[in-house]
Structure formats: structure tokens, C-alpha cells
């Protein structure tokens, strides 16, 4: 299965009537790059996967301190079923039994070994060891064993920030965007990506990759940054021996090896949805509703009047890679729609089909038979939930 990792990459699909039978992708080679284009799903009616209607585990919202969560940054499930949660509110890594009973906590606020100024990320490594990142002390990461015992500090270049981990323990990191030219208006800067050795130290530059769109408003040399309407975003994921780069401009994602070389492009036949006046009105009101007071709302209204509006929606919303290297693409949720739909591609790039998700649930970790993620209740209280992933 690991050999299939290098066989991923994406692009647009423009397939015609000579396509093979239903569910079989068109695969071709272009200058040594494997291109996989899907027109229809492979799953038949009785083969779809399902996410359980109710969670099989819910952690959070309890009366005891250890059962209250705040600013959850990540959560993973270990091989023995234990749930590990990175709680940014307490700067703790919390361990819970498979049935949700609190077991122990590692880390705390501080500047010493195994302590955090601002816990921002958690990644599971081989042997269920855990790597945790610190936002305030960016060059420093902390390595813990599967019991939560602090092992060592991993120090790296202060100019990069870890965003993922490959299967050999080396880390994917990004640097500061390369900002050039006029700062005002809709911008999309390149981001340098790096691979950092598992023991830390100097980073290897993998290349510069296009980042997400931002809208910048400049007044007297002061730059304010806003999320554009229906922004085109770029996601970077590390899984197995591949770097996944997903730009939501078109329905594709690309797989690069750990040296940054493009190996595979995965595409799906797709017609983008047009942006209507109603869509724009709902999107604008959604943004304005976040204003904390009336003065800020009026200022934002002026800025949004100057903000450009694309003619179509993004191709999709987000992307996740599960433990078996299936790629889960979150379909774009139009303003006013509450449904959650995932399209799953297997490790060869073949589109399997669609899975219905749960509104308000953001997955952190997708395993062979489970999904672990964050859910907020009606009072905005944070919970970590585990759903069963049912494969027929």
C-alpha cells in the first residue's frame, strides 16, 4: 500500500464519451507524472461507507476540570483505543480511556521542557509517540511517548512552522509568504514549504507553493487582512511518503514526494456552481455578523463593498487524509445549506463515492473504522467526539 503513495496527484477532468465503464478512472502518464481522472464513483448502491448517526464516544461538557475542554487544537486515537486531546486552554495533552474516562495529562503552561506557551498542534508518530507544537516558542516542539512521558525537545529553524508529519517522522513546515508588489486588494502569495528531519535542525526547501487568497485593505501604510468572498484556498497535508497540495480553484489535488517532486495529479470531472446574488447576500451577512460592535460593522461594510466577487464557488472546501491514505474531500457548503458531504478517493486516486457527514463536526483524525474530531453544542461548549466509520 505504501508503494501507492507516489501515485497521487490532481487536476481538472474533462472526460468525454470514450470513458471506460462506470467507476473506472482514466489513468495516463504525462512527462513522468501520473494523472488519474474520475468521472463517476466506483461504489455501487450497496457499497457506500457511512458515518454512524450518533457518536460512539463524547468527551467534554462535564463538571470536573478534566472533563471540560477549551480551545481544542487536535485530537488523535491511539492504536489501543485511547483518545489524546491537545487542550489549548490549559496547555495540556490529555489522555482518555477508550470509553472516555480521564487517565492523565502531560504538559502545562511554562517555558521548561515539555511545557507550552501556547499549545497549537499534536501529531501521532510511529509507536503511538506524540509530537506537540508550541506557538509562542515556535522553534521548539516536544516529543512524548505513548504514556505521555516527556522524551525530548525538538529544536528547529525559528523561521518555519511545522504543519504535518511524514511516516518516517520528518516534518512538513512552512515559512513566511513571499509578499511582493502592491499590498492592497485581492492577493495570493507563494509560501515556501520545507521538510525538517525528525531530530530537528536545518530544513530542506521543497519549493514555493501558491497560498490561499486574502483581501488586504491598506490605510496609511497599515494593512488589514480579510477573508475574501468564496475564497480560493490551498491546503498542504503530509501523509505516508507524500506531500498533498490541494488548491480549491479546480477539483484536483496533487501528490509530491518528500523532496517536493510532483508525482501524481488526481482529478474529478466537475462543473463549478455559479455565485448568485442570494449567495453573495448570505455570505456578506455571515461575515458582518462577526463584527463585535456597530462601528466595526460599518467599517466592514465599506470594505466588503470594495471586495471583488468571483463568478463561481470554490471546487471544494477542505481535504483530509486518513490512516489508510484515502483522501476525503469536503464538498463546498453553499451559504444557507447545512448538509455535509465528503467525496472519498482511495490510495490509487480512484473516486470511490460520497459519504454524508455531520454538521458542526470537524474531524482531526480519520482511522480505518472511526473519525475523531471537534463538535460544539448549542452553548458553544467544546466536545471531542468519536464516530464509527461503517464500511460495507
Amino acid at each position: 500500500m505504501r508503494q501507492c503513495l507516489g501515485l497521487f496527484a490532481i487536476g481538472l477532468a474533462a472526460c468525454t464519451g470514450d470513458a471506460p465503464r462506470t467507476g473506472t478512472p482514466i489513468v495516463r502518464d504525462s512527462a513522468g507524472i501520473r494523472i488519474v481522472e474520475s468521472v463517476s464513483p466506483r461504489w455501487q448502491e450497496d457499497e457506500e461507507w457511512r458515518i454512524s448517526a450518533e457518536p460512539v464516544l463524547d468527551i467534554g461538557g462535564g463538571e470536573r476540570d478534566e472533563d471540560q475542554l477549551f480551545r481544542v487544537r487536535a485530537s488523535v486515537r491511539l492504536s489501543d483505543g485511547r483518545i489524546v486531546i491537545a487542550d489549548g486552554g490549559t496547555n495540556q495533552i490529555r489522555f482518555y480511556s477508550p470509553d472516555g474516562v480521564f487517565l492523565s495529562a502531560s504538559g502545562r503552561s511554562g517555558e521548561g521542557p515539555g511545557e507550552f506557551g501556547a499549545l497549537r498542534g499534536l501529531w501521532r508518530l510511529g509507536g503511538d509517540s506524540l509530537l506537540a507544537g508550541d506557538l509562542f516558542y515556535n522553534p521548539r516542539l516536544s516529543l512524548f511517548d505513548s504514556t505521555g512521558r516527556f522524551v525530548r525537545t525538538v529544536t528547529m529553524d525559528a523561521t518555519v512552522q511545522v504543519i504535518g508529519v511524514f511516516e518516517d517522522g520528518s516534518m512538513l513546515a512552512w515559512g513566511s509568504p513571499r509578499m511582493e508588489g502592491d499590498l492592497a486588494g485581492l492577493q495570493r502569495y507563494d509560501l515556501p514549504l520545507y521538510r525538517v528531519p525528525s531530530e530537528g535542525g536545518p530544513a530542506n526547501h521543497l519549493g514555493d507553493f501558491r497560498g490561499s487568497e486574502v483581501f488586504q485593505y491598506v490605510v496609511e501604510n497599515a494593512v488589514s487582512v480579510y477573508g475574501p468572498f468564496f475564497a480560493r484556498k490551498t491546503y498542504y497535508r503530509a501523509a505516508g511518503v507524500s506531500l498533498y497540495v490541494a488548491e480549491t480553484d479546480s477539483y484536483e489535488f496533487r501528490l509530491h514526494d518528500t523532496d517536493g517532486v510532483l508525482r501524481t495529479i488526481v482529478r474529478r470531472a466537475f462543473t463549478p456552481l455559479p455565485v448568485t446574488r442570494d449567495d453573495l447576500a448570505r455570505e456578506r451577512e455571515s461575515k458582518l455578523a462577526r463584527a463585535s460592535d456597530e462601528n466595526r460593522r460599518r467599517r466592514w461594510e465599506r470594505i466588503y463593498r470594495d471586495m471583488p466577487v468571483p463568478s463561481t464557488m470554490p471546487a471544494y472546501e477542505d481535504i483530509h487524509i486518513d490512516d489508510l491514505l484515502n483522501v476525503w474531500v469536503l464538498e463546498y457548503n453553499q451559504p444557507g445549506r447545512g448538509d455535509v458531504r465528503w467525496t472519498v478517493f482511495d490510495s490509487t486516486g480512484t473516486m470511490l463515492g460520497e459519504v454524508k457527514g455531520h454538521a458542526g463536526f470537524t474531524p482531526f483524525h480519520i482511522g480505518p473504522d472511526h473519525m475523531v474530531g471537534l463538535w460544539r453544542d448549542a452553548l458553544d461548549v467544546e466536545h471531542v467526539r468519536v464516530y464509527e466509520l461503517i464500511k460495507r
Side-chain angles (χ1 to χ4, degrees):
M1 178 185 67
R2 296 298 183 193
Q3 295 175 344
C4 295
L5 290 177
L7 303 181
F8 267 114
I10 303 183
L12 286 173
C15 302
T16 59
D18 60 352
R21 67 179 177 83
T22 300
T24 301
I26 298 172
V27 182
R28 57 189 175 90
D29 182 276
S30 176
I33 299 171
R34 178 180 165 93
I35 300 176
V36 185
E37 300 176 286
S38 291
V39 178
S40 58
R42 168 158 291 184
W43 283 335
Q44 302 301 310
E45 187 174 349
D46 60 345
E47 295 176 331
E48 304 97 334
W49 297 351
R50 292 188 297 109
I51 300 171
S52 60
E54 299 296 331
V56 296
L57 184 63
D58 186 300
I59 300 171
E63 295 182 357
R64 298 182 302 174
D65 289 345
E66 56 266 30
D67 293 325
Q68 297 176 7
L69 304 175
F70 181 54
R71 294 178 181 168
V72 173
R73 302 306 188 193
S75 182
V76 298
R77 189 165 103 162
L78 303 183
S79 57
D80 60 3
R82 285 177 296 151
I83 304 298
V84 186
I85 299 172
D87 185 84
T90 58
N91 281 325
Q92 290 181 329
I93 299 172
R94 297 183 179 180
F95 291 76
Y96 295 82
S97 71
D99 55 359
V101 176
F102 175 77
L103 300 173
S104 63
S106 301
R108 61 181 180 180
S109 296
E111 302 180 19
E115 298 176 342
F116 304 96
L119 180 60
R120 65 168 181 83
L122 181 72
W123 299 274
R124 187 186 63 167
L125 307 179
D128 282 343
S129 58
L130 298 160
L131 184 69
D134 193 327
L135 182 61
F136 284 179
Y137 306 102
N138 185 40
R140 185 183 72 185
L141 295 98
S142 297
L143 183 67
F144 298 84
D145 67 15
S146 62
T147 68
R149 180 181 64 88
F150 174 72
V151 177
R152 62 183 174 89
T153 297
V154 179
T155 304
M156 58 183 187
D157 190 327
T159 62
V160 302
Q161 185 176 103
V162 170
I163 57 174
V165 179
F166 297 103
E167 71 173 10
D168 65 354
S170 62
M171 297 165 281
L172 174 65
W174 60 17
S176 299
R178 306 202 184 281
M179 303 172 65
E180 299 176 351
D182 187 2
L183 297 180
L186 189 65
Q187 303 292 344
R188 196 164 189 180
Y189 301 112
D190 287 344
L191 280 174
L193 296 185
Y194 301 90
R195 183 185 179 198
V196 182
S198 58
E199 65 275 11
N204 176 39
H205 182 219
L206 301 180
D208 291 351
F209 296 81
R210 191 162 65 152
S212 299
E213 287 182 337
V214 294
F215 183 79
Q216 296 183 159
Y217 197 77
V218 181
V219 178
E220 297 179 353
N221 296 323
V223 180
S224 300
V225 180
Y226 298 85
F229 293 123
F230 311 105
R232 271 54 178 170
K233 299 179 180 180
T234 305
Y235 297 99
Y236 315 104
R237 304 285 185 248
V241 295
S242 293
L243 159 65
Y244 297 73
V245 179
E247 297 181 21
T248 64
D249 307 62
S250 58
Y251 209 118
E252 69 171 44
F253 53 91
R254 302 186 299 274
L255 280 80
H256 301 250
D257 64 22
T258 51
D259 290 323
V261 178
L262 178 61
R263 296 301 187 189
T264 305
I265 297 175
V266 178
R267 297 171 173 164
R268 175 188 178 181
F270 176 78
T271 301
L273 296 172
V275 173
T276 68
R277 289 184 179 181
D278 288 343
D279 292 330
L280 178 58
R282 282 189 289 263
E283 178 80 352
R284 179 182 283 113
E285 186 53 40
S286 174
K287 291 179 178 296
L288 291 174
R290 302 167 194 165
S292 57
D293 55 60
E294 193 59 32
N295 287 334
R296 177 168 293 184
R297 181 183 174 95
R298 284 195 294 267
R299 184 170 68 252
W300 286 6
E301 285 176 340
R302 293 194 301 270
I303 293 170
Y304 290 142
R305 279 198 296 267
D306 296 333
M307 188 177 288
V309 180
S311 60
T312 60
M313 305 281 187
Y316 54 91
E317 196 156 341
D318 202 348
I319 185 171
H320 290 265
I321 319 299
D322 71 18
D323 287 353
L324 300 180
L325 303 178
N326 299 303
V327 179
W328 293 65
V329 177
L330 179 60
E331 298 300 326
Y332 193 78
N333 202 353
Q334 292 176 266
R337 287 183 56 178
D339 60 325
V340 177
R341 296 171 297 118
W342 298 89
T343 299
V344 183
F345 297 78
D346 71 12
S347 62
T348 70
T350 298
M351 181 171 65
L352 299 179
E354 193 171 278
V355 178
K356 184 177 180 181
H358 293 288
F361 175 74
T362 303
F364 289 131
H365 174 204
I366 305 177
D369 58 2
H370 61 272
M371 298 181 79
V372 183
L374 177 65
W375 177 82
R376 289 180 171 87
D377 63 22
L379 299 177
D380 207 32
V381 175
E382 296 181 25
H383 298 244
V384 167
R385 284 185 163 184
V386 181
Y387 287 90
E388 182 183 6
L389 179 55
I390 304 163
K391 299 179 179 180
R392 303 184 185 184

